[in-house]
Amino acid sequence: MNGASQKLSSVRRDWRERDVRVVLAALIIAVATVATIALFANQLQHTLVSSASSFLAADRQLEAENGRPVPTEWRAEARSRGLQTARMVQFSTMVFGGEQFQLVSVKAVDDDYPLRGEIEFQPALGAPRTMTSGGPAPGEVWLNPRLLKLLEVEVGDTIDVGERTLEVSGLLIREPDGGFNMTALAPRIMMHHEDVAATGVIQDGSRVEYVNLFAGDEPALERFYSWLEPRLEPGHEWESIRDGEALSESLARAERFLLLGGSLAVLLAAVAVAVASRQYAIGQRDTVALLKTLGVSSRAIGKLYLSRLALWGLVGIIGGLVVALPLFWMLANLVSEALDRAVDIHFDVSALTPAVLTAVVSLFAFAYPPIRRLRDVPAMRVLRSQPGEAGTRAWLDVLIAVIAVFGLVYLYAREVSLVLALLGGLAALMGTLALLGWGLVSSLKHMSGGGNAWRLALIGLYRHRRASMSQIAVFAMTLMLATTLILVRSSLLADWQAQLPESTPNHFLINIAPEAVDDVRAFLEARDLPLDTLYPMVRGRLTEINDQPVRQAVSKDAKVNALNRELNLTWMDDLPADNRIVDGQWFEEDQTQGVSIESELADKLGVKVGDTLTFTIGSDQVSEPITSIRTVQWDSMKPNFYMAFPPGGGLEGMPATWITSFYLEGDEKSDLNSFARQFPTISVLELDHIIERIQSIVKQVAQAIEAILALILAAALVVMAAVVSATLQDRQREGALLRTLGGRRSLLVRSTMLEFALLGLFAGILGVVAAEAAVWALQYRMFEGEFRWHWNLVIPVPLISAMVLALLGRSQLKPVLNVSPMLLLRRLE
């Protein structure tokens, strides 16, 4: 009992020390940040990727574009594995209502549609909109509201779809899976699957798409796909939310940002724990010396401090999780609000592994080494304030620490580019600091004493030059990491907003005949509707690569959906503004040969500039060499193409239709009816609902990013507090001596604040420069964005850093100003 009470008393005494509290605070914030990010990223993946309720109406879709229904035994196999299934058929046809005909896109669904999400339905014009979990009954049809005027019918009337007469029982406002494939025609009608056969519309050779929907647990879906994959034919396509180009890039960038935030949290935690634990080890010299003089062995001392570290780790992990769980709940609610669905918390215990590893590795790779070195130092050497922390063993500890921290970052992020970018930025920072240290020492070593505040501040920097350089290094590193996160976040949000501004084109015009191009342009310009570029579109299939059949040229392991369908080919004079050439050159003014291919498709096909691609267009074949590889912003909601030819090139003389997009306000929808009457063969694809939802998701993810940024900045402040407290006793002793010699309080305050302000200024400048280097690498490698210099941060960050550190330095003076110098000196001794 006596030994247990002594240990308890020792622990209580430890927890009253400032350095211990800083270590615990750093651990708690580190665990909270990493755990929150890991749980939220897992929730984001579960909600947006696995469930995909608001975008696919299921967890997975299986599309059959070969004109044949999906085999019934496949659905039976899915149900036997515990999956839910549903069916739908999509095709285009003419419908007759009142005295009018209209080309429409038909979606025929069964009783189980949708498996995820809900349909937005309106019983009549002007009636309240409701969300329903099922489609129309047999014998009924729901229309897009525009069709009421186009067909001159009302709710309750009937329309003819082929040979089947259906009653208009309501209005179809929005489908959970509507429009992301960019190929559906509008306006849409929805009918029951049982009525399709009676229409007589679908015949042999008809262009029809059969879609099967599947929903269930992710492992069950993956096992089913493993069974299904060998049975799939070229005309089949298995899709998840990742295959929706309009959204997948935004989600991928958001997840990469979360990985970056978690990685920076790991780095900051490691720095804070390392600095605070080193100070704790130095403060324990007298205690270790006393224990050794009393006969306590080094092994016993090691066990004592090892048990303390284990206790700190336990407290840090528990405290961090207590903070992380409410934050995770808040972020999960933000995502649920963005997707218009009830909160479906997916708590994966394995997602907490990075947080626990961060606490354990931070403690035993950064906190334990200085304590371990201390136990091996003879008692007399410790009592003489020679802790023996220099030498090869200290360098070994530094090497272990570097390997540990970057091992943690890689284990957490799994992104080599991220580790290399941060490592490169830190290496550049350390090299610059070495030059700065040499220059600082050279310029200050001749400084003499005096009573001026500036002189005292500069002398203080020289007197504590080793501590000053280490503080500048840690401050600059902290500012670099925090500034990197802020800059990437700003660039990320700016890219999103640039891709989907308020005036983003929200309507597509498809199947524009060449002779109607000028009339369409005149119609839109007369109504002051901003028209995007008009592109010709030719349907063709990629059949050969370098004169070899494409199925032989491309690895069987490569999943290239573009090979399973016809591609939209185009020709264009100028490179679109949001495209970027990554290899080769864009077409010259009079060039008529060549083709430009999208970069991701080029990677999947394994092709490069100079390779020859052969396309089959109807009964013709076109072969062209690849002259450039370019990136495409699929989520810009503008017409985009995998393949682009030069004017007068391989597509010359091929039958083509034209496509364009434009922006239309919600209260100007009536213009579409006039357009449809004047151009009945042109299809209008309405994407305004889709764009609104993407913008909503981006907004909510941005709010989650703000919360993560707040956690990172809190971790940065803890690091700064730990570093400032590193020289606390020395500065308090010097302040007490200065007061004893007659120094004024105001002089002491000004000189100390100036000294720390200079540290903050130097660190801020270095941190901004290193952050720009890291952001440059991250933007190109990790986020695939365009790098821009951030001149607006060159002045604010160093000034803010100087102000924050000056205030932290001022907080150290409280004992000096409020306690008698003699009492303070006795306490410090």
Side-chain angles (χ1 to χ4, degrees):
M1 288 295 295
N2 187 37
S5 62
Q6 286 180 351
K7 289 183 179 180
L8 182 61
S9 175
S10 175
V11 169
R12 290 176 177 174
R13 184 169 58 253
D14 265 353
W15 286 6
R16 286 195 295 266
E17 295 189 19
R18 179 175 181 175
D19 294 322
V20 175
R21 293 198 300 270
V22 172
V23 172
L24 290 177
L27 281 175
I28 289 173
I29 290 179
V31 172
T33 304
V34 177
T36 302
I37 293 173
L39 288 172
F40 177 66
N42 189 271
Q43 174 76 17
L44 188 69
Q45 181 181 19
H46 174 74
T47 303
L48 298 180
V49 179
S50 299
S51 295
S53 63
S54 294
F55 306 102
L56 290 180
D59 293 333
R60 298 290 190 276
Q61 284 189 359
L62 176 60
E63 299 179 359
E65 298 180 344
N66 53 12
R68 300 192 303 271
V70 174
T72 56
E73 56 267 25
W74 293 3
R75 296 197 304 275
E77 178 67 23
R79 287 192 293 269
S80 70
R81 295 174 179 268
L83 299 177
Q84 298 173 277
T85 66
R87 294 177 298 166
M88 65 183 184
V89 183
Q90 299 184 113
F91 56 93
S92 299
T93 188
M94 298 294 293
V95 298
F96 176 76
E99 299 297 329
Q100 302 293 329
F101 285 94
Q102 177 63 40
L103 177 68
V104 298
S105 173
V106 180
K107 175 182 284 189
V109 300
D110 64 10
D111 293 329
D112 297 315
Y113 174 90
L115 298 179
R116 302 292 191 213
E118 294 180 312
I119 304 170
E120 189 171 356
F121 170 78
Q122 193 175 22
L125 278 178
R129 298 181 179 185
T130 60
M131 305 301 293
T132 179
S133 57
E140 298 180 358
V141 64
W142 295 349
L143 306 183
N144 181 290
R146 278 201 306 119
L147 283 171
L148 293 181
K149 290 186 178 181
L150 292 175
L151 294 174
E152 298 179 356
V153 296
E154 301 289 342
V155 174
D157 294 342
T158 61
I159 65 170
D160 294 332
V161 182
E163 300 174 2
R164 184 75 165 97
T165 300
L166 302 173
E167 179 187 353
V168 180
S169 59
L171 303 178
L172 177 65
I173 305 301
R174 183 171 61 183
E175 315 145 69
D177 58 333
F180 265 105
N181 57 15
M182 295 295 189
T183 60
L185 298 179
R188 171 86 81 184
I189 72 170
M190 181 179 287
M191 58 186 289
H192 198 276
H193 192 277
E194 292 181 4
D195 295 322
V196 173
T199 64
V201 171
I202 299 178
Q203 305 290 334
D204 291 340
S206 297
R207 295 199 58 155
V208 58
E209 183 178 36
Y210 294 93
V211 183
N212 274 24
L213 310 179
F214 302 92
D217 294 335
E218 192 69 21
L221 288 165
E222 292 299 327
R223 288 192 296 269
F224 173 66
Y225 180 65
S226 298
W227 175 88
L228 180 66
E229 187 176 15
R231 297 165 172 81
L232 295 178
E233 300 176 2
H236 291 138
E237 188 169 352
W238 178 262
E239 289 191 344
S240 70
I241 189 61
R242 286 295 186 203
D243 301 312
E245 292 157 343
L247 182 61
S248 59
E249 282 298 320
S250 295
L251 296 182
R253 290 183 182 183
E255 289 182 351
R256 291 189 196 114
F257 183 89
L258 296 176
L259 289 177
L260 176 62
S263 303
L264 296 188
V266 171
L267 286 173
L268 289 172
V271 173
V273 173
V275 172
S277 58
R278 181 181 181 277
Q279 281 304 113
Y280 173 78
I282 293 175
Q284 292 296 302
R285 289 176 302 184
D286 293 342
T287 302
V288 171
L290 181 61
L291 291 174
K292 286 190 173 184
T293 56
L294 294 176
V296 181
S297 66
S298 296
R299 184 176 181 181
I301 293 174
K303 287 184 177 180
L304 172 65
Y305 284 102
L306 199 61
S307 63
R308 290 183 181 179
L309 290 180
L311 183 60
W312 295 355
L314 183 63
V315 172
I317 291 172
I318 294 176
L321 295 181
V322 169
V323 175
L325 293 180
L327 287 173
F328 163 62
W329 181 272
M330 178 190 70
L331 296 178
N333 275 274
L334 287 177
V335 172
S336 299
E337 180 184 342
L339 299 180
D340 298 326
R341 59 181 291 180
V343 178
D344 180 19
I345 298 298
H346 178 74
F347 186 84
D348 188 355
V349 178
S350 63
L352 299 176
T353 302
V356 175
L357 285 177
T358 297
V360 173
V361 174
S362 295
L363 274 176
F364 293 97
F366 303 107
Y368 188 59
I371 295 175
R372 178 180 56 80
R373 292 198 305 273
L374 192 59
R375 73 177 187 179
D376 297 330
V377 177
M380 187 58 67
R381 190 175 183 184
V382 174
L383 291 174
R384 291 175 178 174
S385 299
Q386 298 176 346
E389 296 183 7
T392 58
R393 303 177 73 181
W395 280 107
L396 179 62
D397 290 338
V398 172
L399 179 62
I400 292 174
V402 171
I403 295 174
V405 71
F406 285 102
L408 270 177
V409 174
Y410 178 75
L411 179 66
Y412 179 78
R414 301 288 183 180
E415 286 276 359
V416 176
S417 57
L418 171 61
V419 179
L420 293 179
L422 294 179
L423 179 61
L426 290 176
L429 181 63
M430 293 301 106
T432 307
L433 280 172
L435 293 176
L436 178 66
W438 177 82
L440 183 64
V441 172
S442 300
S443 60
L444 296 179
K445 64 182 179 180
H446 301 297
M447 187 67 63
S448 58
N452 183 272
W454 277 99
R455 186 180 296 274
L456 285 176
L458 295 175
I459 291 174
L461 286 175
Y462 179 72
R463 185 186 304 113
H464 305 287
R465 52 189 176 276
R466 289 189 176 180
S468 296
M469 290 309 303
S470 64
Q471 287 176 334
I472 290 177
V474 176
F475 290 151
M477 186 186 307
T478 303
L479 289 170
M480 169 205 159
L481 298 177
T483 305
T484 297
L485 192 67
I486 294 173
L487 292 179
V488 172
R489 167 256 183 197
S490 300
S491 298
L492 195 61
L493 296 181
D495 289 343
W496 276 337
Q497 292 168 356
Q499 288 165 201
L500 291 176
E502 291 298 324
S503 59
T504 297
N506 56 7
H507 290 75
F508 274 63
L509 300 181
I510 304 174
N511 295 335
I512 305 174
E515 61 272 13
V517 169
D518 292 336
D519 293 335
V520 168
R521 182 181 283 111
F523 179 92
L524 296 175
E525 289 178 354
R527 287 158 179 79
D528 197 24
L529 296 177
L531 182 65
D532 199 22
T533 305
L534 277 154
Y535 293 98
M537 191 166 64
V538 177
R539 301 283 290 178
R541 186 181 292 271
L542 178 63
T543 53
E544 293 181 3
I545 299 177
N546 294 326
D547 299 324
Q548 185 180 8
V550 68
R551 289 295 176 183
Q552 298 178 17
V554 178
S555 170
K556 294 181 179 180
D557 297 329
K559 298 178 182 179
V560 187
N561 293 328
L563 301 181
N564 300 330
R565 64 178 188 271
E566 289 185 331
L567 300 176
N568 293 325
L569 313 177
T570 190
W571 67 81
M572 55 181 70
D573 292 301
D574 301 319
L575 181 71
D578 55 2
N579 287 201
R580 182 166 58 88
I581 298 294
V582 295
D583 193 13
Q585 292 183 340
W586 187 247
F587 309 118
E588 300 290 340
E589 184 175 354
D590 298 325
Q591 183 177 347
T592 58
Q593 289 187 331
V595 62
S596 177
I597 183 173
E598 188 265 343
S599 58
E600 291 186 4
L601 180 58
D603 290 338
K604 292 178 181 179
L605 296 176
V607 297
K608 59 186 183 300
V609 172
D611 290 342
T612 300
L613 303 181
T614 300
F615 301 89
T616 299
I617 304 172
S619 59
D620 297 323
Q621 282 194 335
V622 175
S623 296
E624 294 289 347
I626 298 175
T627 54
S628 66
I629 299 175
R630 73 193 193 286
T631 62
V632 173
Q633 294 287 351
W634 294 108
D635 46 2
S636 65
M637 307 305 288
K638 296 179 180 180
N640 289 300
F641 301 88
Y642 283 116
M643 306 288 178
F645 293 73
L651 299 184
E652 182 71 20
M654 296 292 176
T657 58
W658 294 70
I659 181 175
T660 189
S661 60
F662 63 96
Y663 174 74
L664 184 66
E665 294 281 357
D667 56 359
E668 297 176 346
K669 287 281 188 177
S670 59
D671 289 337
L672 295 181
N673 294 330
S674 302
F675 182 89
R677 290 191 181 94
Q678 184 173 342
F679 306 99
T681 61
I682 297 177
S683 301
V684 182
L685 180 62
E686 300 176 72
L687 299 179
D688 44 351
H689 290 305
I690 298 171
I691 292 175
E692 288 175 7
R693 302 203 64 162
I694 294 179
Q695 289 173 332
S696 175
I697 290 171
V698 169
K699 180 180 178 181
Q700 298 299 334
V701 173
Q703 292 180 10
I705 288 174
E706 298 289 349
I708 299 301
L709 181 60
L711 288 174
I712 299 297
L713 292 179
L717 288 176
V718 171
V719 172
M720 289 187 172
V723 175
V724 167
S725 65
T727 57
L728 180 62
Q729 288 191 356
D730 289 342
R731 294 181 184 278
Q732 288 182 352
R733 183 180 291 107
E734 292 172 3
L737 289 174
L738 186 61
R739 285 193 58 195
T740 303
L741 296 175
R744 297 182 179 180
R745 292 165 56 102
S746 59
L747 177 63
L748 185 58
V749 170
R750 290 199 307 273
S751 63
T752 303
M753 293 185 69
L754 282 173
E755 181 179 348
F756 277 95
L758 290 173
L759 288 175
L761 184 65
F762 295 147
I765 295 172
L766 292 171
V768 167
V769 173
E772 289 282 13
V775 171
W776 174 83
L778 290 171
Q779 279 294 101
Y780 274 107
R781 288 293 182 183
M782 192 171 178
F783 294 99
E784 299 176 356
E786 181 180 354
F787 175 75
R788 295 178 294 271
W789 289 101
H790 304 87
W791 301 109
N792 56 322
L793 292 180
V794 172
I795 296 178
V797 169
L799 291 180
I800 293 174
S801 172
M803 292 174 58
V804 170
L805 289 182
L807 294 176
L808 289 175
R810 174 64 177 82
S811 66
Q812 289 189 343
L813 293 178
K814 287 184 179 179
V816 180
L817 301 177
N818 300 331
V819 181
S820 167
M822 187 60 67
L823 292 176
L824 182 61
L825 290 173
R826 288 176 178 174
R827 183 188 304 171
L828 294 174
E829 293 298 329

